[in-house]
Amino acid sequence: MLFLCYPRCSTCQKAKKWLEEHNIEFTERNIAEENPSFDELQTWYKQSGLPLKKFFNTSGLVYKEMQLKDKLPSMSEEEQLKLLASNGMLVKRPMVISEDKVLVGFKEAEWGALVK
């Protein structure tokens, strides 16, 4: 299982602690140092069944500075994925990717499905 996070993010720290408390093995990847690629994001997006907007860190500074709230609706799926792949700080975190699940953001109830 892959755990994408930003170590200084308090939500990511809570999620990591949760994974450890539930004895879930994972590989940790710092999203700022090793940004997801276009291909990874495209695969995860399709696998997740979520709207692409859910992959954006809408509360982040980069998102706000780039005024993406106004720009995203007119961008194609490919343009949005390329944008996400260009800067890890645009990507919503934490993210967990397993063989059959992609979870974006930390919601304990959703993550509980990982331990079943």
Side-chain angles (χ1 to χ4, degrees):
M1 184 174 303
L2 180 61
F3 175 61
L4 286 168
C5 66
Y6 182 57
R8 294 193 345 222
C9 162
S10 61
T11 306
C12 292
Q13 291 166 5
K14 282 182 208 166
K16 181 178 178 179
K17 185 178 178 197
W18 187 93
L19 289 169
E20 290 169 346
E21 286 172 353
H22 289 84
N23 299 314
I24 297 174
E25 288 186 29
F26 61 90
T27 302
E28 185 174 339
R29 182 163 136 192
N30 183 329
I31 207 162
E33 293 175 359
E34 194 181 339
N35 194 46
S37 70
F38 175 85
D39 290 336
E40 285 176 320
L41 288 160
Q42 189 172 41
T43 300
W44 299 338
Y45 162 57
K46 288 181 174 156
Q47 189 180 344
S48 75
L50 295 169
L52 190 51
K53 186 173 193 292
K54 293 279 186 194
F55 282 80
F56 280 89
N57 178 13
T58 56
S59 58
L61 286 175
V62 179
Y63 183 90
K64 291 175 180 171
E65 286 170 2
M66 294 178 75
Q67 299 175 331
L68 292 177
K69 181 182 176 193
D70 302 323
K71 295 176 183 172
L72 283 183
S74 63
M75 293 173 72
S76 72
E77 192 175 284
E78 185 174 343
E79 288 170 326
Q80 290 181 47
L81 287 165
K82 282 181 179 173
L83 185 61
L84 283 169
S86 73
N87 186 334
M89 299 311 277
L90 283 173
V91 181
K92 178 85 173 166
R93 56 191 185 264
M95 196 183 305
V96 169
I97 297 97
S98 67
E99 285 182 27
D100 61 342
K101 286 192 180 67
V102 176
L103 301 177
V104 182
F106 180 57
K107 294 188 180 82
E108 244 181 272
E110 285 179 12
W111 286 44
L114 292 173
V115 294
K116 290 182 181 171

